[in-house]
């Protein structure tokens, strides 16, 4: 589920930009659309950082490989 949320957070601002360019060619996108894209990027990067820190091994901790 988090993967779907991250994908939507990335793709929705892109879709909004493409729709804006389709229906209003030659005009700049609204500030809200740009702000939404920035927020989505920050959320995706924050999620990736959180996931990376959550799944990392602490210093000095012994690595135990997976077993079948």
């Amino acid at each position: 589920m988090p993967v779907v949320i991250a994908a939507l957070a990335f793709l929705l601002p892109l879709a909004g930009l493409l729709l804006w360019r389709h229906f209003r060619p030659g005009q700049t996108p609204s500030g809200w659309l740009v702000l939404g894209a920035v927020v989505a990027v920050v959320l995706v990067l924050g999620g990736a950082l959180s996931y990376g820190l959550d799944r990392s091994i602490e210093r000095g901790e012994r690595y135990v490989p997976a077993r079948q």
Side-chain angles (χ1 to χ4, degrees), residues 8-67:
L8 285 176
F10 175 75
L11 292 176
L12 284 177
L14 179 62
L17 176 63
L18 292 175
L19 283 172
W20 181 274
R21 292 191 64 177
H22 177 72
F23 290 115
R24 298 178 188 250
Q27 293 181 355
T28 59
S30 69
W32 290 109
L33 185 62
V34 174
L35 180 64
V38 169
V39 168
V41 168
V42 168
L43 286 175
V44 169
L45 290 177
L49 179 66
S50 172
Y51 179 78
L53 291 175
D54 184 48
R55 303 292 279 177
S56 64
I57 296 176
E58 298 293 326
R59 182 180 290 261
E61 188 176 342
R62 185 169 177 229
Y63 172 73
V64 179
R67 301 180 200 165

